[in-house]
Amino acid sequence: MGPPGAGKGTQAAVLARDLGLAHLATGDILRNETAAGSPVGLKAKTFMEAGRLVPDDVMTQLVGEYVVKAAKANGFVLDGYPRTLPQADALQALLEGASIVLTAVVNLEVPEEVIVARLANRQTCPKDQRTYHPVNNPPGKPGVCDACGSALVTRNDDSEAVVRNRLRVYRESTAPLVEFYKKQGLLKSVDGLAAIPKIVLAIKGILDEAQTAGPDSGRGTGRGETP
Ligand code: AMP
């Protein structure tokens, strides 16, 4: 979890690569659906362009399909979902249905004023969705994705006006989840201003601890994976 621009995508991609997990990023999935012109993509497009949340029922159906697939594989990192309380309830039901125990929710903390500056300069690879920043996380060659060589672009919803709206939506709809998961003893906050490798280490430490604690100290009765 974390506000837009907190570094969720960057961290989730590294964790997925290092731990051999699927990376389920709802924003990426929606952008792919939109580019493909699928019915879900067309429904989502106007919400995304305005920095608003795609309706909960659309999201839950979408995530449900991926969670069921990923649960059969090696596990997954969930990035950008849930973003509302109804989505958190739906996720709980999905995980229970797939016998997966939620043992940790990682929350990247970054102040709002830093986010606007970060996103205004963010560049994204249109092919593999990696993100870069000229100062915090520059590509080896300016304007080119390190991984696939594609020309980097600015996301449509990274303009300042849309970023401010995304932050407002975060405050109103998503921030309450921090309290929701804190009450359940699952929330693990990490300083999102630290250097990227330092944040990776901190999150890996949290996941190790959650895994060592095992399903008995978590909730539910499933196999104990940590999404
Ligand atoms: P992201 O790449 O995570 O910043 O997501 C980009 C946009 O996709 C968001 O601003 C929303 O419009 C939409 N989106 C992604 N995940 C969700 C979600 N869980 N619920 C609703 N809308 C979402």
Side-chain angles (χ1 to χ4, degrees), residues 70-154:
K72 289 190 193 133
N74 195 28
F76 54 91
V77 186
L78 198 49
D79 158 16
Y81 184 96
R83 264 169 148 112
T84 64
L85 286 167
Q87 289 183 15
D89 286 337
L91 175 64
Q92 211 147 309
L94 274 171
L95 294 179
E96 274 166 18
S99 298
I100 297 172
V101 179
L102 185 61
T103 48
V105 175
V106 177
N107 181 37
L108 287 171
E109 292 183 319
V110 179
E112 279 201 13
E113 60 275 22
V114 177
I115 285 173
V116 177
R118 269 193 189 181
L119 292 189
N121 292 304
R122 180 161 82 168
Q123 291 185 302
T124 304
C125 173
K127 201 165 156 211
D128 58 29
Q129 315 283 342
R130 278 166 200 263
T131 57
Y132 299 87
H133 185 279
V135 178
N136 304 335
N137 184 25
K141 191 172 163 202
V144 177
C145 177
D146 289 343
C148 71
S150 302
L152 301 175
V153 298
T154 300

Side-chain angles (χ1 to χ4, degrees), residues 5-46:
K8 300 186 295 293
T10 301
Q11 292 298 324
V14 173
L15 291 172
R17 185 196 65 203
D18 291 359
L19 305 177
L21 306 170
H23 177 188
L24 301 188
T26 46
D28 294 349
I29 294 170
L30 288 170
R31 279 184 287 279
N32 289 338
E33 296 283 344
T34 305
S38 73
V40 163
L42 294 177
K43 235 190 236 177
K45 194 169 189 279
T46 42

